[in-house]
Amino acid sequence: MVLQTVTIGDDITKDLQATIKAIAVPGKGILAADESSGTCQKRFDGVKIPCTEETRRQYREMLFATPNIGQFVAGIILYEETLYQKASDGTSFPEFLKKQGIVPGIKVDKGLVLYHNSEIEKVTQGLDGLGERLEEYKKHGARFAKWRATYNITDTLPSDGLIHENAETLAKYALTCQHHGIVPIVEPEVLLDGDHTIERCQIVTEKVLHAVFAALKKHNVKPEFTILKPSMVISGKENPNRAEVKEVARRTVEVLKKTVPADLPTINFLSGGQTPREATQNLNEMHKLGNLPWNLSFSYARALQEPALKTWQGKKENAANAQKEFYKRAKLNGLAALGKYSEEMENQVVLVFD
Ligand code: 13P
């Protein structure tokens, strides 16, 4: 069943156009800072920082206040809690980001639950009441949204049922967003977990993206107002012979060209557990292939934040150095999004906010 075929009004269209224009900018990407409190706890535990509402607020403020970060970061995805929090000067975080020239976005899915009888596969929940929530988030400054669906790879998974279910849910979410003037990030994440080959990942990713774009089309979601946030085509994390950068780039672009319409303005990858350097190299290598019909950039969480979080340690006196680490990763990824990154820059880039 197709949800709705209502046409989008002029004002809503203008909102969507303006948001896409601000985000689909060559050399700029998105910071995913929308970790749920549970995920944030895991990340903070890793560096022994207590995870409270206040420490999460301080951490996010440290990132968002990084001088000149708007040169490389066009948008930031917030968790609901952060949307309603304030910076130390009393400005709401969405306002704070606007002043940095950054578009605020919001994670709107409500996390994963097991799919039917599966012990592994999960579906994403959160469609109930989504329209009302979007209106509320929009009032508080959010201009784009994110919804994540996940796919495990084994010899037999993902199942056709899950691929279909996730595609339908992503399409319904995306359509609802567009009707409320919010640009949807559609995030089908083929997980890195496991020892699968890159060939297997390619087959799965192609099937998943094919299903997602068929569902988006069926539900009349406008590709020109949609951001795709895919995983890269890559060997499983536990594979002893992981494919190298050139192969990742070649196979990823091959799948995207087969499945993603050319009128979709921007593709912003997730990092999915790749090291920060790996995620930067892979993106850069894709640009070396040339001839890309879309803006091709990043929407990383871990690959942008890891060095900064380690340096911060929850301490005020470390904030400036942590910001420099964040700035460095954002700058290198900004260069990678233009194909202008080189590995030597990892050591050359001086930690200043130039
Ligand atoms: P990672 O870059 O850490 O995979 O996070 C991206 C994201 O937003 C996951 O939903």
Side-chain angles (χ1 to χ4, degrees):
M1 187 197 72
V2 175
L3 256 192
Q4 301 166 51
T5 49
V6 194
T7 46
I8 300 176
D10 283 352
D11 287 352
I12 294 280
T13 303
K14 274 189 199 143
D15 285 348
L16 295 169
Q17 274 166 343
T19 302
I20 285 291
K21 190 164 172 244
I23 293 181
V25 178
K28 288 194 188 192
I30 296 171
L31 165 69
D34 60 328
E35 298 86 356
S36 64
S37 306
T39 303
C40 207
Q41 175 91 49
K42 259 194 259 168
R43 307 271 185 268
F44 278 24
D45 283 352
V47 285
K48 302 197 168 52
I49 301 169
C51 188
T52 65
E53 204 176 318
E54 177 54 17
T55 56
R56 291 192 291 271
R57 192 201 66 75
Q58 288 168 358
Y59 176 61
R60 266 84 186 231
E61 176 164 4
M62 180 277 289
L63 292 175
F64 305 166
T66 301
N68 303 330
I69 199 66
Q71 289 178 90
F72 317 112
V73 174
I76 297 187
I77 316 169
L78 304 172
Y79 188 52
E80 193 184 49
E81 173 186 275
T82 321
L83 187 78
Y84 298 111
Q85 285 178 325
K86 291 187 168 77
S88 310
D89 66 0
T91 321
S92 76
F93 276 134
E95 273 303 314
F96 193 80
L97 293 182
K98 254 206 261 174
K99 286 188 189 162
Q100 283 269 48
I102 295 172
V103 183
I106 173 92
K107 168 196 171 78
V108 300
D109 69 68
K110 296 261 179 193
L112 304 166
V113 286
L114 281 174
Y115 172 56
H116 290 316
N117 304 329
S118 178
E119 286 172 12
I120 298 172
E121 296 198 295
K122 290 178 179 164
V123 283
T124 314
Q125 47 185 359
L127 281 181
D128 281 352
L130 178 60
E132 290 81 43
R133 283 198 287 131
L134 288 173
E135 279 306 310
E136 197 52 37
Y137 297 150
K138 199 176 172 185
K139 269 192 226 149
H140 282 85
R143 290 172 56 192
F144 68 99
K146 183 192 102 171
W147 181 289
R148 172 176 178 252
T150 61
Y151 307 82
N152 286 85
I153 298 188
T154 68
D155 290 345
T156 53
L157 298 179
S159 65
D160 289 346
L162 180 91
I163 290 175
H164 176 76
E165 179 99 9
N166 275 345
E168 283 291 305
T169 311
L170 280 167
K172 288 173 188 170
Y173 139 80
L175 187 71
T176 309
C177 286
Q178 290 186 347
H179 279 140
H180 288 270
I182 299 272
V183 168
I185 294 185
V186 169
E187 182 182 9
E189 176 172 3
V190 176
L191 297 165
L192 200 60
D193 309 335
D195 63 358
H196 51 268
T197 61
I198 191 167
E199 288 86 356
R200 174 93 184 112
C201 182
Q202 181 165 4
I203 292 166
V204 169
T205 307
E206 185 173 332
K207 204 167 164 185
V208 161
L209 289 179
H210 184 76
V212 167
F213 282 97
L216 293 180
K217 192 165 184 197
K218 184 179 104 182
H219 287 286
N220 299 306
V221 174
K222 291 189 182 306
E224 65 270 32
F225 301 137
T226 302
I227 297 171
L228 175 68
K229 174 165 173 162
S231 40
M232 295 179 191
V233 173
I234 195 165
S235 322
K237 202 156 192 160
E238 280 90 52
N239 185 306
N241 299 307
R242 301 189 71 212
E244 46 75 278
V245 181
K246 280 196 168 33
E247 196 175 351
V248 171
R250 180 178 59 76
R251 289 183 187 270
T252 303
V253 169
E254 196 176 303
V255 167
L256 292 174
K257 283 194 171 173
K258 270 193 192 168
T259 52
V260 184
D263 53 354
L264 182 129
T266 183
I267 299 177
N268 295 65
F269 291 103
L270 60 95
S271 60
Q274 296 182 47
T275 64
R277 204 179 272 217
E278 198 184 354
T280 309
Q281 286 172 337
N282 286 335
L283 175 60
N284 188 60
E285 202 63 34
M286 291 181 212
H287 281 275
K288 290 206 197 145
L289 298 170
N291 236 344
L292 303 169
W294 345 260
N295 185 55
L296 197 68
S297 187
F298 57 90
S299 174
Y300 300 153
R302 283 164 286 180
L304 277 171
Q305 293 182 44
E306 259 172 26
L309 180 60
K310 269 191 206 144
T311 302
W312 183 56
Q313 296 286 328
K315 295 187 182 129
K316 231 183 182 160
E317 61 269 28
N318 294 339
N321 283 336
Q323 287 178 332
K324 287 175 185 166
E325 295 288 352
F326 172 47
Y327 184 89
K328 176 177 172 181
R329 288 276 35 109
K331 180 173 181 170
L332 294 181
N333 281 303
L335 289 166
L338 298 168
K340 292 184 175 167
Y341 161 86
S342 69
E343 245 198 302
E344 299 84 72
M345 291 175 181
E346 293 287 348
N347 304 321
Q348 282 166 2
V349 168
V350 191
L351 293 177
V352 288
F353 310 113
D354 49 4

